[in-house]
Every structure is written in structure tokens, then in C-alpha cells.
Amino acid sequence: MIVKKREIPLRILIDEALLRRLPLNHPKRTEITQDLLIRRAGFKGEQDMDYYLSLLDDSEFYILQNIRLPLGNNHFQIDFLLLSITFILLIENKNMPGYIEFDADFNQVIRRNNGKTEIYDDPVLQVKRQLIQLAHWLKLNHFTIPPLEFLVTYSNQGSILQNPTKNEEIYKRVCKGGAAVMKIEEFKNRNTKEIFSQKDIKRLVKFLIKSHEPEGSHLNKFSLSSADFVLGVACPSCSRLYMERISGSWHCANCGTSSSDAHVQTIMDYFLIGNPSITNKQLRLLLKLPSDKTASRLLLNTKLPFSGTTKNRVYFPK
Ligand SMILES: [Zn+2]
């Protein structure tokens, strides 16, 4: 059963907010768009993988989707963590169409797609690193270390996997999404000794969920400043910042869409692009509102946490 669901990564929300807020000719747009496409593909691939894992016997595994755990000064992240009473399985998923060739001698993956050749790090090595980190994490937190299995899955139907050096480990540890269930059967047959009692495994699952720390902001990476951003309310249909407040609702001067709550996304964007809080005055500038009464009402309706008295109130993201 799924005991921890993945959340939409903050970094996807930030990229989307940046693209709504940066002028169309801003030089950083290409880099941010590229970053967003990669992150969205990864997220979509994991969602596709959910289907294949739903074919497993629901009572046998506790499934944690996208778990990120602290270890020393760092974190490690696992796409899928499956726990049973006899073993733990780590799955690293890739969403990559094209010819995927494993070069086990040099720990690299060569991908050929649409006439383009790209080199990637070996995902087997990547998931092995996660395995070592998980073992370390279990030990530090005084849990028994059960047999740890790992798998690299390619959830995209258009991935054509190739293993030209006929490397044994690649055959054993890499598969298409649809073959994962069969691989997991093999792991089950290999690991039959009960390591955890039901009570132990529940305690471990609970502790894993409690220890999860979602990935934070990556705004620094793009070195943007508030001067880069455009003010105004973003249209929910065309994303342009052309919405005007006319008799109590928002109207887009570009595409004609009306909205009663378009300002909510705009306030979210304001926080996502790095502002820790907002005041009435800042909101009026952001939404291009002439009246501070309207600004106050809109802020109250968003039910954001705040501090300070009516006049000097500062609002924070939820
Ligand atoms: Zn519009």
C-alpha cells in the first residue's frame, strides 16, 4: 500500500512562477524552461511508474514515493522505496525515450534520440549510492538493516534499452517499467527470511515519513533579482499579466478571460519567487490596485497567516 505520496516538487512550482513573472524576452527564460521540462518529465515518469507498481499485492509492501532523507550535512532522495518484512527495495526511475545504451565499463549511459547523442551518469551507480546511504541512515537511527535490493526502471514506452557488453548486473538491475513486477518477484523469492515483525516495520515506516524533508528552493541557481520580475495579475488562461480589476473581478485584456480569484496565484507566485512576506502596500503594487480597502479584503479572503496589528500587518505563505 502507498503510505507516502509524492508531492509536486517546489522546484516545479518555482520554475512555473518564474516563467509567469519574467518578461518574455528575459535571457534566463531558456534555462528555466529547460529545467522545468526535465523536472516535469521526471515527475510524469514517476506517475507512470505508479501504475506498474499498483500491480503488486497491496498487502505485501509499504510504498513510499519520492522520499528525501537527511544524512550528515546532506540529503539523499529515492524515487520509490518499497518495504516488506523480508527486504527493502530502492527504485530509481527514468523517463527517457530513445536508444539507451549501457556502458558498464565506464559507468555511463549513452542516449540517442532524434539524431542527438547525450551522455548520462550510470543510474545503477546512482541507486547503489542511495543504497549505501540508506544503510547508513538505518544504522544511525538504530534500525535493523535488512537485505537491500535495487532496481532502475525506464517508465517511458519509447525507451529502447541496450546492453551491448552483456553486463550481468545491467540485466539483473535495469528494466522497463512493465517488467518491474517480475523483477520484484525474483527479489521476493531470493529474500524469504523474516527480518521485521509487523510492529517493527510499521515503526520504521512511520519514522521514514517523519524524517522526509522535501527539496527546498533552487532560486539562487538562476541569480535573479526582484527587478527582473513583472508586476500584475497573471491570467489563468493565457498566463499574460494583463488582468484588470473591474467591478469586483479580474478581466484579461489579452484573451478576455474573467476570474474571481486570479490574485491568489499571483500572491503564491510572489512568495515562490523569493519574497518571504507581503504587506498591503506591496500587494497593491503587485496587483496594481488603486484601493487599499480592496487589497485588505483580498488579503483577508486568502486566509494567509499574519502578524502585526491591522495597520502594519504582514502576511506569510501558508
Ligand atoms: Zn488571458
Side-chain angles (χ1 to χ4, degrees):
M1 80 192 93
I2 298 164
V3 286
K4 186 210 159 285
K5 287 202 156 105
R6 81 181 61 78
E7 51 281 304
I8 298 179
L10 177 66
R11 295 181 175 202
I12 287 185
L13 299 177
I14 288 174
D15 283 351
E16 288 172 347
L18 291 177
L19 291 174
R20 274 191 292 270
R21 291 286 136 189
L22 286 174
L24 290 178
N25 58 0
H26 194 281
K28 286 285 158 104
R29 286 191 77 96
T30 321
E31 189 189 337
I32 297 165
T33 305
Q34 199 55 34
D35 187 73
L36 178 60
L37 285 175
I38 292 168
R39 288 178 196 278
R40 273 193 188 150
F43 190 68
K44 166 78 172 44
E46 288 171 33
Q47 287 177 319
D48 291 343
M49 198 55 213
D50 288 346
Y51 165 72
Y52 298 118
L53 294 181
S54 74
L55 306 174
L56 292 169
D57 182 344
D58 207 40
S59 65
E60 269 180 285
F61 291 98
Y62 291 93
I63 302 178
L64 289 86
Q65 299 175 341
N66 204 328
I67 180 120
R68 187 168 174 273
L69 300 168
L71 186 65
N73 293 324
N74 294 306
H75 286 81
F76 63 104
Q77 178 266 332
I78 301 162
D79 291 344
F80 294 89
L81 190 63
L82 279 71
L83 296 97
S84 82
I85 53 169
T86 60
F87 70 103
I88 292 181
L89 167 64
L90 295 84
I91 301 178
E92 169 66 27
N93 186 64
K94 300 289 176 200
N95 180 9
M96 244 182 225
Y99 288 89
I100 316 283
E101 187 186 309
F102 287 84
D103 176 359
D105 295 335
F106 295 103
N107 292 115
Q108 57 188 1
V109 163
I110 302 144
R111 179 213 194 190
R112 294 185 184 84
N113 193 36
N114 293 329
K116 248 175 52 184
T117 303
E118 291 160 304
I119 305 281
Y120 292 89
D121 287 337
D122 182 358
V124 174
L125 209 60
Q126 186 188 348
V127 70
K128 274 183 175 170
R129 272 195 300 267
Q130 293 162 6
L131 187 143
I132 292 167
Q133 287 168 309
L134 180 66
H136 192 179
W137 185 91
L138 288 166
K139 195 175 161 209
L140 276 176
N141 292 295
H142 314 291
F143 287 101
T144 311
I145 303 173
L148 299 172
E149 298 283 2
F150 64 92
L151 201 55
V152 174
T153 54
Y154 282 79
S155 59
N156 195 304
Q157 299 272 7
S159 308
I160 302 153
L161 303 183
Q162 298 179 317
N163 183 8
T165 57
K166 308 227 178 296
N167 182 281
E168 272 303 312
E169 188 171 48
I170 302 292
Y171 283 132
K172 220 153 96 184
R173 299 292 180 177
V174 180
C175 71
K176 295 290 290 278
V181 176
M182 277 75 86
K183 290 275 181 203
I184 295 170
E185 274 306 309
E186 287 172 28
F187 298 147
K188 261 167 62 183
N189 294 336
R190 200 155 64 210
N191 300 288
T192 50
K193 188 171 165 238
E194 261 186 46
I195 309 289
F196 296 116
S197 68
Q198 283 299 338
K199 200 179 142 207
D200 286 342
I201 198 165
K202 277 184 187 145
R203 195 171 67 86
L204 171 55
V205 166
K206 219 170 132 185
F207 193 72
L208 279 163
I209 295 170
K210 212 183 88 188
S211 306
H212 169 67
E213 289 179 9
E215 205 174 21
S217 170
H218 65 326
L219 268 175
N220 294 343
K221 181 176 144 180
F222 302 119
S223 37
L224 296 161
S225 80
S226 53
D228 290 307
F229 301 118
V230 185
L231 300 171
V233 175
C235 170
S237 304
C238 70
S239 295
R240 304 297 294 275
L241 303 166
Y242 285 156
M243 294 214 108
E244 293 170 318
R245 187 104 185 141
I246 305 167
S247 36
S249 72
W250 299 102
H251 296 274
C252 177
N254 183 50
C255 75
T257 297
S258 293
S259 161
S260 59
D261 59 0
H263 60 281
V264 176
Q265 181 68 63
T266 294
I267 297 170
M268 288 258 296
D269 285 357
Y270 186 78
F271 293 136
L272 285 168
I273 61 176
N275 297 291
S277 62
I278 194 164
T279 62
N280 183 302
K281 192 179 164 199
Q282 286 165 331
L283 184 77
R284 264 184 295 149
L285 282 171
L286 174 67
L287 305 184
K288 297 182 175 171
L289 284 173
S291 136
D292 61 349
K293 272 212 181 101
T294 312
S296 289
R297 207 179 53 243
L298 291 179
L299 274 173
L300 273 178
N301 287 345
T302 52
K303 298 196 167 64
L304 294 171
F306 59 82
S307 71
T309 54
T310 324
K311 223 173 164 243
N312 307 306
R313 206 165 264 182
V314 179
Y315 295 81
F316 303 97
K318 276 177 196 163

